């Protein structure tokens, strides 16, 4: 609680010294202004029960019928387009870590909207090398804000990324999955014992095919997790 108060006061002071500017429209006053926030196009039902992408008719989209995801499901705020795209890029590549807070709140809204039930939140871990390059894990900033909003426990050291993987942009879904096999591992016991029968929510910024979330879910299932869900800000749609 004191942590929240101190964090809040520091942010207020920072906002006075360096007034925030909207990443998208440069309006002064908020890092993500109310107008841009309202312009986000949320995914609307009907959604595929597994991958969470908009689709017509049946419970599962064609892709999930033939190639089921190796986790319980993925949900996203919306499509990878403006203003989400610029906000995610600013958070991830331009060091705009202040965006973690409002974007994490969006994730918390999506969690409630989609009726997800989790006992524990974890951020998708970055490989140590990448973490040193970037200086922070954007997924962790999102997860911290989201967990605070939902008052759910957050675990940031449970899963580690033990292997870096080459860029996946040109790979098919099947190739991505193979490429990522064994890329994540769970912390050794006794920490993992606490995972038995738990429902875990993995937070990331963007999800393309779901292969990275699946790879992260694998050691969690091995450690006894009952459900693993992915929650992201945006998904590219064709
Ligand atoms: Zn704006
Ligand atoms: Zn689907």
């Amino acid at each position: 609680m004191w942590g929240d108060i101190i964090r809040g006061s520091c942010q207020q002071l920072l906002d006075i010294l360096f007034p925030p500017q909207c990443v998208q429209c440069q309006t002064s006053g908020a890092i993500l202004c109310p107008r841009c926030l309202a312009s986000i196009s949320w995914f609307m039902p009907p959604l595929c029960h597994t991958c969470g992408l908009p689709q017509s008719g049946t419970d599962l989209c064609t892709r999930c019928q033939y190639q089921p995801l190796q986790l319980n499901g993925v949900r996203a705020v919306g499509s990878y387009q403006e203003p989400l795209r610029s906000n995610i890029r600013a958070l991830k590549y331009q060091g705009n870590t202040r965006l973690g807070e409002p974007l994490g709140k969006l994730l918390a809204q999506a969690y409630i909207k989609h009726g997800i039930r989790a006992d524990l939140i974890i951020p998708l871990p970055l490989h140590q090398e990448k973490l040193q390059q970037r200086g922070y894990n954007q997924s962790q900033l999102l997860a911290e804000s989201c967990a605070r909003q939902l008052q759910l426990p957050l675990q940031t050291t449970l899963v580690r990324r033990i292997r870096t993987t080459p860029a996946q942009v040109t790979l098919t879904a099947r190739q991505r999955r193979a490429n990522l096999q064994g890329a994540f591992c769970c912390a050794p016991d006794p920490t993992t014992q606490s995972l038995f029968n738990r429902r875990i929510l993995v937070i990331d910024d963007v999800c393309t095919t779901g292969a990275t979330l699946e790879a992260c879910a694998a050691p969690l299932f091995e450690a006894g997790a009952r459900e693993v869900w992915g929650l992201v800000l945006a998904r590219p749609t064709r």
Side-chain angles (χ1 to χ4, degrees):
M1 181 200 163
W2 284 109
D4 283 346
I5 292 170
I6 292 167
R7 196 179 299 114
S9 311
C10 286
Q11 193 57 60
Q12 277 169 14
L13 185 65
L14 275 174
D15 288 350
I16 294 165
L17 293 174
F18 311 99
Q21 223 181 29
C22 179
V23 163
Q24 178 70 18
C25 70
Q26 277 82 51
T27 304
S28 193
I31 193 87
L32 177 52
C33 80
R35 227 177 69 186
C36 288
L37 198 58
S39 73
I40 292 172
S41 55
W42 286 69
F43 280 153
M44 297 302 258
L47 305 175
C48 168
H49 282 197
T50 309
C51 70
L53 286 172
Q55 50 121 24
S56 51
T58 53
D59 292 347
L60 293 179
C61 71
T62 325
R63 214 204 115 193
C64 290
Q65 281 175 38
Y66 293 103
Q67 223 181 348
L69 279 174
Q70 305 297 302
L71 73 170
N72 294 81
V74 178
R75 294 294 180 268
V77 170
S79 180
Y80 189 63
Q81 59 189 41
E82 299 305 344
L84 280 177
R85 202 165 68 116
S86 295
N87 276 273
I88 291 168
R89 284 183 170 179
L91 169 70
K92 203 168 172 176
Y93 304 116
Q94 292 155 19
N96 202 334
T97 52
R98 279 161 111 178
L99 279 167
E101 186 63 30
L103 296 178
K105 278 186 186 166
L106 279 179
L107 289 172
Q109 284 174 30
Y111 176 96
I112 294 163
K113 199 175 173 138
H114 294 302
I116 305 173
R117 290 275 172 273
D119 308 306
L120 180 69
I121 291 184
I122 69 165
L124 192 101
L126 269 188
H127 190 269
Q128 198 59 31
E129 233 168 67
K130 222 171 196 174
L131 187 64
Q132 272 164 8
Q133 275 170 19
R134 194 171 291 164
Y136 58 93
N137 175 0
Q138 75 283 354
S139 303
Q140 184 167 332
L141 299 179
L142 294 170
E144 281 168 0
S145 163
C146 179
R148 217 168 24 244
Q149 286 292 316
L150 298 169
Q151 298 190 320
L152 282 172
L154 173 77
Q155 247 288 3
T156 57
T157 54
L158 202 58
V159 183
R160 277 193 307 133
R161 185 156 188 161
I162 48 175
R163 203 155 55 74
T164 47
T165 38
Q168 304 219 89
V169 187
T170 57
L171 304 183
T172 65
R174 203 181 293 267
Q175 286 167 330
R176 281 178 193 233
R177 202 178 271 174
N179 194 29
L180 278 156
Q181 207 147 31
F184 296 88
C185 80
C186 261
D189 286 344
T191 334
T192 43
Q193 278 171 11
S194 60
L195 288 183
F196 183 73
N197 220 14
R198 308 291 296 280
R199 297 166 300 184
I200 299 162
L201 181 68
V202 183
I203 302 276
D204 200 7
D205 49 359
V206 178
C207 166
T208 309
T209 62
T212 313
L213 287 168
E214 287 179 312
C216 180
L220 295 169
F221 281 127
E222 268 169 40
R226 172 159 47 114
E227 288 180 20
V228 182
W229 288 80
L231 179 61
V232 300
L233 286 168
R235 297 202 63 173
T237 42
R238 267 145 285 165

